[in-house]
Amino acid sequence: EDKVVQSPLSLVVHEGDTVTLNCSYEVTNFRSLLWYKQEKKAPTFLFMLTSSGIEKKSGRLSSILDKKELFSILNITATQTGDSAIYLCAVEAGNTDKLIFGTGTRLQVFP
Amino acid sequence: EAQVTQNPRYLITVTGKKLTVTCSQNMNHEYMSWYRQDPGLGLRQIYYSMNVEVTDKGDVPEGYKVSRKEKRNFPLILESPSPNQTSLYFCASSPTGMRGEKLFFGSGTQLSVL
């Protein structure tokens, strides 16, 4: 059965800290891995990763994929209170039209 | 403004009373999907539609129905809601097929079934 596992489930840090969020997967016919940020309600797209070892970066956020070890990490440097959210990892399987989501990591950043 | 609109945002109902959650998108997207989000379980797909008049079951379709008579609308129907359908529901759409990087989500509907 296809599955996506995220860790930790929850993380509490102070502003300025650096955090690493983990996502591992077991999916047949892997096509891509995606990260979303969910603040109040609707998830919003952050990154899509398809190739191993190529870092995607946007400001203080960056992500990388390891297709051999079947995992991805999302790094946030110099965290701010606005980074507080649930971060969702999802994997697209190439032979279906489905997106398989992990349970998410809840990040809380305090001043 | 490009958007996916869900209504209502919040709904409290009782067991067995039929309800419909509407979803409409204004981007001429072909693909639409419904998810439910529960603590500890993440988002799980209920139904999806590749285009008008084409719908398919997702991972948790039991107790739900959908229809896709028009491209813009994809309502979710609970014929006889039960307490285990209490959840946060999201509708989403993307241009052609399921493309995660182009998936637009609605703002969500928080449903409570008593």
Side-chain angles (χ1 to χ4, degrees):
Chain A
E1 183 185 338
D2 294 336
K3 63 180 180 181
V4 176
V5 178
Q6 291 185 246
S7 64
L9 289 180
S10 183
L11 200 48
V12 179
V13 300
H14 286 293
E15 268 191 322
D17 288 351
T18 292
V19 298
T20 298
L21 280 54
N22 304 292
C23 176
S24 64
Y25 62 90
E26 291 178 29
V27 175
T28 51
N29 292 310
F30 172 90
R31 188 165 74 193
S32 65
L33 184 144
L34 301 105
W35 286 96
Y36 297 87
K37 179 180 182 182
Q38 185 178 14
E39 293 180 85
K40 296 273 194 302
K41 287 287 189 182
T44 54
F45 171 74
L46 290 174
F47 298 114
M48 182 173 79
L49 302 144
T50 55
S51 302
S52 277
I54 299 174
E55 186 182 54
K56 291 284 181 89
K57 198 169 170 64
S58 176
R60 295 176 294 102
L61 278 67
S62 63
S63 183
I64 197 159
L65 173 68
D66 186 328
K67 290 170 76 173
K68 184 179 174 188
E69 300 297 330
L70 307 182
F71 78 92
S72 173
I73 59 172
L74 175 67
N75 278 320
I76 309 174
T77 58
T79 52
Q80 301 171 357
T81 54
D83 295 325
S84 297
I86 296 173
Y87 290 85
L88 299 167
C89 173
V91 174
E92 289 181 321
N95 62 341
T96 71
D97 289 294
K98 293 183 182 179
L99 200 53
I100 304 150
F101 282 89
T103 54
T105 293
R106 179 181 293 274
L107 173 66
Q108 293 175 277
V109 182
F110 287 97
Chain B
E1 180 189 352
Q3 58 186 357
V4 176
T5 303
Q6 288 180 234
N7 279 299
R9 292 290 301 274
Y10 301 92
L11 179 58
I12 301 174
T13 190
V14 295
T15 299
K17 187 172 183 182
K18 180 179 178 180
L19 66 92
T20 299
V21 183
T22 63
C23 174
S24 180
Q25 48 93 4
N26 63 358
M27 297 166 280
N28 202 36
H29 283 176
E30 291 183 352
Y31 179 92
M32 297 186 75
S33 181
W34 276 103
Y35 296 90
R36 61 178 287 175
Q37 186 176 28
D38 302 287
L41 295 175
L43 273 85
R44 293 178 294 166
Q45 191 176 46
I46 303 171
Y47 270 94
Y48 65 98
S49 168
M50 296 296 286
N51 213 326
V52 177
E53 300 292 1
V54 179
T55 61
D56 281 293
K57 294 178 181 178
D59 296 314
V60 288
E62 295 77 21
Y64 304 95
K65 284 174 58 175
V66 292
S67 68
R68 188 92 183 273
K69 295 187 171 62
E70 308 162 281
K71 202 171 196 179
R72 64 182 293 126
N73 295 323
F74 191 43
L76 180 70
I77 302 154
L78 285 71
E79 294 270 5
S80 184
S82 62
N84 64 12
Q85 292 178 298
T86 292
S87 187
L88 178 60
Y89 291 86
F90 288 104
C91 180
S93 71
S94 75
T96 52
M98 204 300 296
R99 296 177 61 187
E101 79 278 19
K102 293 196 182 295
L103 203 57
F104 272 78
F105 285 88
S107 297
T109 295
Q110 181 66 58
L111 172 65
S112 295
V113 184
L114 306 177

